[in-house]
Amino acid sequence: MTTDIKLIDYLNVRRSTPAPQLTEPGPSREELEEILRLTVRVPDHGKIAPWRFIVIRGEERVRLGEAALALALKKNPDLSADFQSVETTRFTRAPVVIAVVSKAGPHVKIPEWEQVMSAGAVCLNLLMASNALGYAANWLTEWVSYDPEFLPELGVKDGEKVAGLIYIGSTTFPPVERPRPELAEVVTWVGEA
Ligand SMILES: Cc1cc2nc3c(=O)[nH]c(=O)nc-3n(C[C@H](O)[C@H](O)[C@H](O)COP(=O)(O)O)c2cc1C
């Protein structure tokens, strides 16, 4: 189901939905392919696509939660039952989780920083493409995006980094506004038109 809200109206209210507020249904395989086709239309200096996606669905989310728990217990054998449950349910908070993986590295022409920024653009575009198909989404990282022992569980290779884990699903929660920066705090005007 695509939404046909005007772009300016969308940008005026665009918000993430916290992962715990995401439920079934999630996007189908066909919808995910459309979401990803929209997503890859990002600025990318040199057209080198220095990023890739790992689409995590179904039982794989459960396996990843169990792997997260095993690793969390290895680090802290006294982990409380509540925190153990946080780990086992980490990836099942949403029907679909997409890992946006940055492949940024040394390149003959394109600075690594620009490759990293392109991965950030991908993450935001993935949130917006999900919204365009009527789904809510949340860009998280959390410890599982950084732990060198967990990254192989996700399928992230040596030299790659997780730019974001994008949780996608449906929601019944109304969006709640959050404070935005005052323009005066973040904008410097120079010259006059
Ligand atoms: C790179 C990145 C990583 C983030 N990781 C987390 C996280 O691990 N946990 C969290 O609660 N929020 C995290 N956030 C913030 C959430 O995405 C948050 O919901 C978002 O800032 C809401 O903004 P929005 O409503 O304007 O989309 C992260 C944001 C970014 C850009």
Side-chain angles (χ1 to χ4, degrees), residues 13-19 123-124 127 137-143 145-146 162-165 176-178 180:
V13 297
R14 189 208 61 77
R15 263 238 65 184
S16 298
T17 300
C123 290
L124 178 59
L127 295 179
N138 196 191
W139 176 357
L140 300 179
T141 44
E142 303 175 322
W143 72 270
S145 293
Y146 294 100
V162 175
L165 295 170
V176 178
E177 195 39 323
R178 73 174 175 88
R180 301 291 170 178

Side-chain angles (χ1 to χ4, degrees), residues 3-14 125 128 132:
T3 55
D4 59 1
I5 183 171
K6 267 172 64 184
L7 186 54
I8 193 162
D9 294 335
Y10 168 74
L11 291 175
N12 252 318
V13 297
R14 189 208 61 77
N125 228 24
M128 297 197 289

Side-chain angles (χ1 to χ4, degrees), residues 1-190:
M1 179 201 70
T2 52
T3 55
D4 59 1
I5 183 171
K6 267 172 64 184
L7 186 54
I8 193 162
D9 294 335
Y10 168 74
L11 291 175
N12 252 318
V13 297
R14 189 208 61 77
R15 263 238 65 184
S16 298
T17 300
Q21 297 177 3
L22 297 174
T23 56
E24 299 283 351
S28 64
R29 169 77 189 239
E30 291 68 32
E31 287 175 314
L32 282 168
E33 281 174 5
E34 185 171 2
I35 286 170
L36 290 168
R37 257 195 310 278
L38 298 170
T39 297
V40 296
R41 297 180 62 88
V42 287
D44 160 19
H45 191 179
K47 298 184 280 294
I48 57 174
W51 24 259
R52 65 185 186 93
F53 303 92
I54 301 169
V55 182
I56 302 160
R57 297 183 297 161
E59 286 302 299
E60 177 63 5
R61 296 168 307 146
V62 177
R63 187 194 70 77
L64 284 171
E66 284 162 2
L69 175 63
L71 195 49
L73 281 172
K74 192 171 135 189
K75 291 171 196 293
N76 176 10
D78 300 326
L79 201 63
S80 72
D82 282 354
F83 280 109
Q84 291 191 32
S85 163
V86 167
E87 299 307 337
T88 47
T89 58
R90 189 175 285 288
F91 290 88
T92 50
R93 285 175 291 180
V96 178
V97 185
I98 300 184
V100 177
V101 178
S102 166
K103 304 195 294 177
H107 185 278
V108 65
K109 178 163 172 255
I110 314 301
E112 191 167 333
W113 166 236
E114 297 187 8
Q115 300 174 46
V116 172
M117 287 195 288
S118 184
V122 163
C123 290
L124 178 59
N125 228 24
L126 181 49
L127 295 179
M128 297 197 289
S130 302
N131 294 161
L133 267 80
Y135 294 98
N138 196 191
W139 176 357
L140 300 179
T141 44
E142 303 175 322
W143 72 270
V144 285
S145 293
Y146 294 100
D147 193 289
E149 280 189 80
F150 192 76
L151 293 179
E153 296 286 351
L154 277 172
V156 176
K157 299 179 199 146
D158 281 353
E160 295 182 331
K161 287 199 171 81
V162 175
L165 295 170
I166 313 295
Y167 288 72
I168 307 171
S170 300
T171 193
T172 53
F173 286 83
V176 178
E177 195 39 323
R178 73 174 175 88
R180 301 291 170 178
E182 290 298 329
L183 286 192
E185 287 165 16
V186 294
V187 180
T188 306
W189 296 83
V190 290

